């Protein structure tokens, strides 16, 4: 389970630009919520068993029990929203294009992400598209639609081509 959850981070680190589709994020909300809550409960139960079965050696291990449900919840949501669709897309992807809405086109460079734009309705860490040419970025505004094409499924896309953008910015 941990390998499945860290695979997207590894692929992003290796330079694969993956974006789950906004439709998938919306459609799988309830499933990701339930999975997150179940994993939060499992992490809490496993943590409580581990903490209270071990003999104390000078420190209280109870604070770990406060953190574990949050980690389990985030991991469960991430597995459903990003990991599973990414693996399916990686294995059985075909040429596809998805349309995303720009939420911010004037972000400052951060880390390795130069000339970023932010996209709406996507999970954290997968809501930023990097390396957009500055002249193109200057013409983009919140509310514009951008087309990202590449190998993918209805769940998401590994971006290889920027298909352009269109629309009037929202007020």
């Amino acid at each position: 389970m941990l390998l499945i959850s860290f695979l997207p981070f590894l692929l992003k680190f290796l330079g694969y630009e993956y974006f789950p589709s906004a439709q998938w994020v919306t459609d799988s909300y309830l499933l990701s919520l339930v999975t997150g809550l179940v994993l939060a409960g499992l992490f809490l139960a496993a943590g409580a068993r581990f903490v209270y079965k071990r003999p104390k050696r000078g420190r209280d291990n109870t604070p770990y029990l406060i953190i574990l449900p949050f980690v389990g919840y985030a991991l469960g949501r991430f597995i459903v929203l990003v990991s599973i669709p990414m693996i399916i897309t990686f294995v059985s992807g075909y040429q596809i294009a998805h349309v995303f809405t720009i939420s911010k086109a004037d972000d400052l460079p951060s880390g390795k992400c130069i000339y970023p734009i932010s996209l709406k309705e996507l999970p954290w860490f997968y809501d930023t598209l990097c390396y957009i040419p500055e002249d193109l970025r200057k013409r983009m505004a919140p509310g514009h639609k951008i087309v990202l094409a590449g190998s993918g499924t209805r769940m998401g896309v590994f971006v290889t081509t920027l298909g352009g953008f269109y629309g009037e910015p929202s007020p």
Side-chain angles (χ1 to χ4, degrees):
M1 179 169 38
L2 286 176
L3 179 63
I4 290 173
S5 60
F6 288 113
L7 182 64
F9 293 107
L10 175 65
L11 289 176
K12 188 151 180 111
F13 177 75
L14 293 174
Y16 290 95
E17 287 282 346
Y18 175 78
F19 290 91
S21 72
Q23 185 66 40
W24 171 255
V25 172
T26 303
D27 290 348
S28 64
Y29 175 78
L30 185 61
L31 178 62
S32 69
L33 182 69
V34 169
T35 304
L37 291 174
V38 167
L39 278 182
L42 289 174
F43 273 48
L44 180 63
R49 182 172 181 193
F50 179 75
V51 165
Y52 293 119
K53 285 226 175 205
R54 290 184 65 190
K56 291 184 181 177
R57 295 192 178 140
R59 65 180 182 176
D60 186 18
N61 292 325
T62 306
Y64 296 115
L65 291 180
I66 296 169
I67 296 170
L68 282 175
F70 293 106
V71 170
Y73 177 76
L75 194 62
R77 295 276 321 257
F78 188 76
I79 287 172
V80 171
L81 292 177
V82 178
S83 297
I84 292 172
M86 180 185 270
I87 292 168
I88 291 169
T89 299
F90 194 74
V91 171
S92 65
Y94 49 89
Q95 282 302 110
I96 193 168
H98 286 286
V99 178
F100 296 91
T101 304
I102 297 171
S103 65
K104 210 168 164 189
D106 58 355
D107 283 346
L108 296 173
S110 62
K112 291 183 178 182
C113 187
I114 301 170
Y115 307 125
I117 61 168
S118 297
L119 305 174
K120 284 185 180 178
E121 302 168 351
L122 294 179
W124 170 82
F125 198 67
Y126 288 89
D127 63 347
T128 304
L129 181 62
C130 300
Y131 308 109
I132 302 297
E134 186 65 24
D135 61 326
L136 183 60
R137 226 170 55 113
K138 286 180 181 177
R139 293 184 285 156
M140 295 178 178
H144 276 155
K145 304 287 186 191
I146 188 169
V147 178
L148 303 178
S151 176
T153 63
R154 70 173 199 84
M155 296 177 189
V157 62
F158 283 99
V159 178
T160 56
T161 307
L162 175 63
F165 73 97
Y166 58 91
E168 291 298 317
S170 55

